[in-house]
Amino acid sequence: MGQVEARSAPGAQHAADERPSEPALIEAAHVTAGYDNRREHTRLIALRDVSLQVRRGEFLAIVGPSGCGKTTFINLIAGFVKPLEGSVRVRGEEVTGPGADRAMVFQDYALLPWRTVERNIRFAMENRRGHVPKAEQAERAARALRLVGLTGFEKSYPHELSGGMRQRVGIARALVTEPEILLMDEPFGAVDAMTREAMQAELEKIIAETRQTVVFITHSIDEAILLADRIVVISKRPGTIREVIDVDLPRPRFDEQSDVQRSPRFGEIRSHLWSLLADEALGAKQEGATR
């Protein structure tokens, strides 16, 4: 498939048309990716012929049925896996491995239990190329903790924190390296509904301050609409881009006065997304039943 143009849900205005044209920060060109099963001598294709551009400073959400290749796509950007065909480029340079300009926030907390909150955050700087002086490490860790609302918990250990607080540490650990690109793989999937909503609001504030480019995977339609500038809908495996939708809703979206979730436009986008994802989920289920 060629380059996918952004399309909005019915009745939308194209927010992308109002922005000045500039080179994409991230570009995937005709990417096919998969995994080899050496024992059975088979290959599973996760993504097929995917082309997508991500603008600098954009918050891009990716949604799709389980197993459609969402995590594979974000791992391609991170440099954890390489495409079988096509290329992934950042600032025009092909991604050949992890880099300091990208940081990942995983669904599980992935914290070191024997380290305090502050030392978990500093761990990210300890494993980067180039020495960061201890004074600067402390300053950057303090700023990251302030951004995620954990000032005062520097000396706590992971087992002393709630699930939401542990995930905040994971986000702070990604922020402390000051990456240009923040990659988030269902970061709020393991927390309860109330904590999830609070963290969504906090993330919007953080990104408004840091102005980072975000690629965000989620299974939640509402979460994607509330956080993203654009939403990419991936088909069932092998994943292809079914549609790219502009989210033309005002920010901030977690302001009680704006009440975005009650707006007619939110409902239109949600209904459109639901119809796309219901089709894909049903297709995947029927395909599985025939095997």
Side-chain angles (χ1 to χ4, degrees), residues 2-272:
Q3 175 64 40
V4 176
E5 296 294 332
R7 292 190 292 167
S8 297
Q13 296 179 351
H14 287 250
D17 295 341
E18 301 172 2
R19 301 181 182 184
S21 177
E22 63 176 71
L25 177 62
I26 304 168
E27 182 174 11
H30 302 290
V31 168
T32 294
Y35 305 91
D36 290 325
N37 186 324
R38 295 181 181 179
R39 180 170 53 84
E40 298 182 5
H41 303 288
T42 59
R43 171 174 285 176
L44 173 69
I45 300 298
L47 295 168
R48 189 184 300 281
D49 197 20
V50 169
S51 294
L52 180 70
Q53 294 186 347
V54 184
R55 299 181 285 260
R56 189 182 307 275
E58 180 175 28
F59 196 121
L60 186 83
I62 302 176
V63 297
S66 295
C68 70
K70 300 185 296 296
T71 295
T72 298
F73 184 73
I74 212 170
N75 283 338
L76 287 164
I77 300 172
F80 297 154
V81 297
K82 295 181 179 180
L84 299 173
E85 298 176 9
S87 65
V88 178
R89 296 179 181 274
V90 173
R91 293 183 306 279
E93 297 184 6
E94 188 163 359
V95 173
T96 58
D101 56 347
R102 289 153 281 145
M104 178 80 88
V105 179
F106 301 94
Q107 181 175 357
D108 56 12
Y109 313 123
L111 303 181
L112 301 175
W114 59 88
R115 281 189 170 226
T116 63
V117 165
E118 183 181 23
R119 292 191 65 222
N120 262 286
I121 293 170
R122 287 194 182 203
F123 182 75
M125 291 181 280
E126 293 168 5
N127 286 273
R128 293 283 183 177
R129 290 181 181 176
H131 175 68
V132 179
K134 288 187 177 181
E136 184 179 344
Q137 287 186 26
E139 181 181 334
R140 287 165 65 170
R143 179 173 183 269
L145 284 168
R146 177 184 61 78
L147 284 170
V148 300
L150 283 179
T151 299
F153 290 90
E154 294 86 349
K155 304 305 179 185
S156 299
Y157 286 88
H159 73 271
E160 298 174 319
L161 306 177
S162 68
M165 293 171 75
R166 278 178 247 170
Q167 191 59 292
R168 286 170 186 256
V169 177
I171 294 171
R173 184 177 53 194
L175 293 173
V176 78
T177 60
E178 300 178 352
E180 186 174 10
I181 299 168
L182 194 59
L183 305 170
M184 309 187 80
D185 188 359
E186 295 192 69
F188 308 143
V191 299
D192 63 84
M194 291 183 65
T195 301
R196 185 171 189 153
E197 186 171 336
M199 293 185 70
Q200 290 166 358
E202 198 68 30
L203 179 61
E204 184 185 43
K205 292 178 184 177
I206 290 170
I207 298 307
E209 182 170 337
T210 63
R211 300 187 179 277
Q212 288 162 310
T213 302
V214 182
V215 181
F216 187 98
I217 292 175
T218 180
H219 276 103
S220 169
I221 293 175
D222 287 6
E223 183 169 75
I225 299 170
L226 285 168
L227 289 173
D229 297 312
R230 288 191 301 159
I231 301 171
V232 179
V233 181
I234 305 288
S235 71
K236 64 183 183 296
R237 191 177 65 237
T240 60
I241 296 179
R242 181 163 180 184
E243 191 165 332
V244 182
I245 300 169
D246 288 316
V247 183
D248 52 346
L249 293 169
R251 294 189 184 274
R253 296 180 187 161
F254 293 89
D255 188 331
E256 291 182 2
Q257 295 180 348
S258 64
D259 203 8
V260 167
Q261 285 182 276
R262 293 182 181 272
S263 70
R265 183 69 190 127
F266 183 94
E268 290 173 7
I269 298 173
R270 191 182 193 284
S271 178
H272 184 62

